[in-house]
Amino acid sequence: MSSLSWGRIPSPYRESTTGKQHSGPEPGAGVEHRSVGARSGPREQHGALDTLDDVLTHRQHRVVLLEGARGAGKSHVLTRGRELATEKGYQVAHHACEGIEYPPALFSALGHTTLPSTPGFAGTDAAHTRMLLVERAGSVAEHLSTQKPLLVSLDDVQFADQISMLALRTLPRQLRGKSVVWMLTRCTDREERSTRRLYELLERSVDTVRLTIEPLSPSEVADLARALCQARPERDLLSHLEALDGNPRNITELVNGYLDEGKIRTENGLAHLTESGEQDRTSALAMRLHGLPVRPALPRRFLNLVEEQLGTLSRRTRLVLQVAAVLGPTFRPDDITGVLGEPSAGIITEVQEALDSGLLVTTAQALAFRSDLLWQSVLESLPTPLRTALHRQVADAHLAHGGPVTEAAIHLLQGTSRDGTATTRGVLVRAAREALSSSPAVAAELAQCGLELTQSGDPEHTELTTVAVDALTRAGPLAEAVSTARAALTRSLPPSAEAEVRYCLSVAETLGGHATEAQEEPDERTAGEHLEKFRVSALQREFFRDRDAATKRADELLNSPSDTEPTVRVTAMQVRAQAHWEAGELHAGLHLAREAAELARHTPDLLWHTCPRLPLVLMLVHLGDPAEAEELVTAQHHDIDRRGTRTLAGVPHLLKARTALVTDRLGQALVEAETGLAKTAQVGLSVHDALAWDTLTTIALRRGELARANETLTRLETSTPADTVVRARHRWLRAELALAHDDTEAANTAVHALLDHPAHCRALLSTEPVAGARLARLGDERARTAVATACRRLAEDNPGFPVLATAAAHVRAVLDHEPETLERAEPYPDSWSRGVRAEDLAALWEGTDETRAVEYLDQALADYDSHGAERDAARVRRRLRQLGVRRRHWRCTKRPANGWDSLTETESSVATLVAQGLTNRQVAKQMFLSPHTIGFHLRQIFRKLGVRSRIELARDWGHARD
């Protein structure tokens, strides 16, 4: 008997053993607890089979107690145990318990089924009759054990009959001196007091080993999914499987079901869930309303497991669960009773049974299905006509009792015949408007569903159109918002509706990077109530199109009468603050950015697309205050989540990447930047991509991944908008990449291009103060003088920012060969810049005070290591070796013998560079090691990875990187 388990689903064969002895009434009694994991395959079974082999060979334990959830693999372990026993010459007596049965399960296992007709178990002779049967079972087992060793195997003892349970409580102790081994399994999904007491009794009275089936670990789930799909599962598929709590059978059924129905596709070695596919639109809409990802309809073979488990419940409990599933993943008991038309007390027994079975859990104010996947399973297991009728009933109840109109609309869509009645259209208009401010993705779907039910002449059509355009602009995709808006503008719209559509079109084009034309601000007569929105969108559009024109317009707005709308003032302050910053007026820029963020905080109806904290966060990061920046990013993230503006969902990740970069968390910075890029690409938001490509290029350079750095730098170069800061940082990073390749000529070219534009030089020094010292070592005398002058003026014009004074002192010390000047300056706020400072101090002292030079090199090495700048750290180690000092750079880490995880950090770096096509000599140059050392590391890599050529290494590296 097997079924689907939704609790903590333990599972057969990874073994981690903890022994624990319990004293009992009988001498020699003891219990050993062992955990085994549910994995398949010869190597993974080794631990569990070793345990069973010990029991069967040495008879150290007379009873093996196996426990775990349904579908976890208990029966599989039991089967392998019986096969092992047969190989060792045992007689095997096996039976799967199935509840009340006669002959009793134990007799069936022993092959002794010639018994009297079913005896009565009531009355004065009941106990005597049971004991006679138990004695007979004992006699049969003892007789069999005299012929050859006997294994008694009973599966699912929680279903065992009364006589078998009594026999199991007494016979293992009575037959302790005989050649009898017992193997019992029980299911832990539901609390069975009698079975638990049986296990405890056996542990007290005889020698036992208890094997608890543990769940698959996340990596094992990924391995199983990969084996089933014959491709590596991508993140969304793996997150979907997490709801199954590591149960191997359930994972297997779900994945195979998806494969059977074509709902998993493989591209470039990755297994993806298809888009919503056969999931109907309204079901997908319901998932979005509940904040769930939209996935394909569940496969039939998986739903069979759900129906199997529901079949163990009472009919009344199944009804309650099905009604609850229609209501949603979370629901209130009175919502169920409202549909059933009875008091809440009428479902107490059924709810308790569902809670005991692990299908439901309690929250503070409601009940909920244990997992979203379980909710979807129960819902989809309902016959479609019944499900449709229930949705309609729930919608009517919501509307009659003043429930949430959005939920009512979704239930109405799922229960309607799509006839587009006036009632349905009216509810959809109200629901779409209601959802717009908090769930624009849901609002867009509702509005589009409504448009399908209306004609252009219907009174609801115009309002649904404007809501659809607005919602798509907020939730994306932006391209769809643009196309919907343009299509709407081809028709005749009322003036107010036309103004709203044009405003949304402007915002969508701007955020999508297509603000190629200026936008005229309409007058009050044309714009009407949307004048404030138009002013903001026009200013933002101009900011990304023409900074000078945007700054001029911002000044006009800020100098206008004080009754200018707050959102307009916030946007104008942002534009003006950025202009101050790029002009080197950092105090003024920071002050105005703070003022804009503060005004925005007190403006409740702030337009969603203003992002008032973004410029302030970047300024704080550049000036060395990441702590305050992170607080602002958290607040920005909260606002976006609260408003449901999925179009901006990637922005906080891009900002988090920047704060992580300056606080020595390169791994987190990489993840956040890639996550941000994925989210912006999903909706078509491109105006902030330059920030991500800048971060990714910086990380790749500091890690020494030069091929990757060149790739991301190219993307940065083509990013829009190419403003002053983007151009400046692109040229700076191009120079850094050229230096990493020892291409001084290309580096000098990039530096001169940067210095030919003073505004670009100022912008770079404002965002990366330590860059001045790096630039001071390049170019001719004129270039070095220009850098020194720019750093000095920036520091003088902005007193109170220690990092700027340090940068100016750093440049002066490098050019004048005066290390004392730099030693007197305050340290940089970030470890990478401190590493650059210490490395330059070492160079300045080298030749005059070697001891001091070594001390500064050690300091630089510590700073670079702390930051994760592997390439810079390798360069410092080479300089130390040249001075006769060797510093170990490996960590004592317990690693596996084979595979990518077995590589040391140095080996991993070598493997990455070789996989990118570099020769040993080129790798040696980048890592500041000898070609001979690279060759040695490469041989170790080949051995650990089991590859024989660079081509195989590159192929495996590609898979590992994915």
Side-chain angles (χ1 to χ4, degrees), residues 1-3 9-13 36-40 45 48-49 52 64-84 92 94-98 151 153-159 183-189 199 211-214 247-249 308:
M1 181 172 184
S2 58
S3 186
I9 302 183
S11 1
Y13 321 49
V36 291
R39 296 177 61 175
S40 58
Q45 295 174 9
L49 295 182
L52 297 178
V64 177
L65 305 174
L66 189 63
E67 59 185 7
R70 288 187 180 89
K74 303 183 304 300
S75 298
H76 181 69
V77 175
L78 206 58
T79 300
R80 295 292 295 119
R82 297 199 306 272
E83 292 172 355
L84 189 60
V92 176
H94 171 72
H95 188 72
C97 303
E98 297 180 354
L151 171 67
S153 165
L154 290 180
D155 199 3
D156 283 331
V157 294
Q158 74 274 4
F159 296 129
M183 288 180 60
L184 313 177
T185 76
R186 75 172 183 128
C187 182
T188 55
D189 288 0
Y199 271 39
L211 299 177
T212 301
I213 310 275
E214 295 294 344
N247 186 292
R249 184 190 178 205
E308 191 176 316

Side-chain angles (χ1 to χ4, degrees), residues 535-555:
R535 285 178 173 172
V536 171
S537 67
L539 187 54
Q540 285 187 326
R541 190 182 184 98
E542 201 68 9
F543 177 78
F544 290 115
R545 198 187 69 86
D546 185 339
R547 286 292 174 85
D548 291 338
T551 302
K552 180 179 179 181
R553 178 57 181 150
D555 288 339

Side-chain angles (χ1 to χ4, degrees), residues 95 99-105 107-108 113-121 129 133 136 161 163:
H95 188 72
I100 299 175
E101 55 185 307
Y102 193 83
F107 281 87
S108 297
T113 56
T114 306
L115 294 175
S117 60
T118 306
F121 293 113
T129 302
L133 289 172
R136 180 178 295 189
D161 56 273
I163 294 176

Side-chain angles (χ1 to χ4, degrees), residues 146-190:
T146 60
Q147 301 171 1
K148 59 169 63 175
L150 174 66
L151 171 67
V152 180
S153 165
L154 290 180
D155 199 3
D156 283 331
V157 294
Q158 74 274 4
F159 296 129
D161 56 273
Q162 194 177 33
I163 294 176
S164 296
M165 287 293 286
L166 179 60
L168 292 174
R169 293 172 67 88
T170 58
L171 293 185
R173 176 181 172 186
Q174 292 176 5
L175 299 176
R176 199 164 49 172
K178 308 301 179 182
S179 298
V180 181
V181 173
W182 304 78
M183 288 180 60
L184 313 177
T185 76
R186 75 172 183 128
C187 182
T188 55
D189 288 0
R190 299 175 68 174

